[in-house]
Amino acid sequence: MLEVTGLGVSYGSTRAVDDFSFTVGSGEAVALLGANGAGKTSTLRAVSRLVRGEGRIVFDGDDVTGTRPEELSRMGLVHVPEGRRVFATLTVNDNLLVGQTAGGRRKRFFGLDAIYDLFPALVPLRKRYGWSLSGGEQQMVAIGRALMAAPKLIMLDEPSLGLAPIVVKAVYQALSQIKSELAVLLVEQNAAVALSLCDKGHVLLSGREALSGTAAQLGDREALIDSYLGHGVDSEDAQDGEAIRSH
C-alpha cells in the first residue's frame, strides 16, 4: 500500500530524517518508534507532503512523490496529526461530517454510525462544540473524522500523547478494529502499546533507522528499545520550531 525509499527531510542545516526506507502492506499496521526529535513526525509529514522531502513515495501503486497533500487525501492517504486539530466552533457531529469531503466515491468502511460504535463516549457529545472537548474526546473525533474520509491508509501521529491510561485503552481498542479494514502507519513513543497493535515496527534514532522487526521480535528486545526511547534527542522535530540535538 505504501513504499517509501530513501526518505530525507532537512530543516535548514538540521537533518531530521536521513535515508529512511520502509513499507506498509495492505491491511498491515506499522509502528514508527523513537524519542522526541527522532524524526517520526517529520517522516509522516514528508509522506503526506506537508514538508518537502527527498526520496520516492509510492502509494497504492502510484508514484506520489510530487503530489499535493489535498490530492493525497482524495487518493485515500489520510493523516491524523499530533495535536488533533479539531474544529473548535463545530460540533462533534459536524467535525465528523467534514471528513466526508475527501472520501469521494471510495468504499467507506466506517460511516457516521460506525464511528459512534467505535467511540461510544462520543454519542452523548454529538452536539458539543470542539472547543469544549477533553483531549481524549478530541482524539476520538480526529480519528473518526479521518475514517469518514474513507482512507486506504491512515497515518496517526502520537494518538496516546497526553491521554489518561483508560482513554489510551479505548483509543487502541478502536484502532484494533480499524486495522482489520485498512492499513495503518502509527507514530508512538509508547512502544508497548504500539507493538500490541502493530504487525511490525521501525525504531528511529536521530533521523535514521536504528532497529526494525516484527512486533514479536521488537517485543523481545524491549530493553533495547527503551534505551533508544530514553536516551534519544531531547527535542521535538525541528518543524515544530525546536532544534534537534544528536547524541
Side-chain angles (χ1 to χ4, degrees), residues 35-213:
N36 281 345
K40 309 182 306 297
T41 291
S42 290
T43 296
L44 292 197
R45 288 173 175 166
V47 169
S48 60
R49 310 304 299 162
L50 294 175
V51 299
R52 185 175 298 175
E54 305 160 10
R56 185 169 184 257
I57 301 169
V58 177
F59 174 64
D60 198 22
D62 295 321
D63 189 327
V64 296
T65 305
T67 304
R68 293 177 298 182
E70 63 272 22
E71 184 61 28
L72 280 175
S73 293
R74 287 193 287 267
M75 293 173 68
L77 195 159
V78 179
H79 186 173
V80 182
E82 181 183 343
R84 295 118 196 185
R85 304 183 188 180
V86 167
F87 293 104
T89 59
L90 295 183
T91 65
V92 165
N93 205 69
D94 286 344
N95 263 282
L96 295 175
L97 291 175
V98 165
Q100 291 184 135
T101 58
R105 297 183 178 179
R106 282 193 306 277
K107 180 179 180 181
R108 184 174 286 108
F109 292 104
F110 298 95
L112 195 59
D113 290 341
I115 302 303
Y116 286 118
D117 287 341
L118 278 174
F119 299 113
L122 295 181
V123 173
L125 305 177
R126 289 174 187 255
K127 297 183 179 180
R128 183 83 62 85
Y129 288 103
W131 62 264
S132 68
L133 302 175
S134 69
E137 291 161 355
Q138 289 182 19
Q139 187 66 76
M140 294 175 190
V141 171
I143 295 172
R145 183 178 60 195
L147 292 174
M148 290 290 288
K152 297 177 181 179
L153 184 149
I154 186 170
M155 302 196 303
L156 300 139
D157 194 353
E158 301 280 13
S160 71
L161 186 65
L163 304 186
I166 190 170
V167 181
V168 173
K169 182 178 180 181
V171 167
Y172 270 81
Q173 284 177 340
L175 292 180
S176 69
Q177 298 179 59
I178 292 168
K179 68 169 285 193
S180 67
E181 302 293 350
L182 50 95
V184 176
L185 179 58
L186 172 72
V187 157
E188 266 288 4
Q189 280 184 267
N190 188 331
V193 72
L195 294 175
S196 71
L197 174 79
C198 293
D199 304 293
K200 64 183 183 183
H202 303 266
V203 181
L204 292 174
L205 182 66
S206 299
R208 285 183 168 270
E209 183 178 83
L211 192 66
S212 66

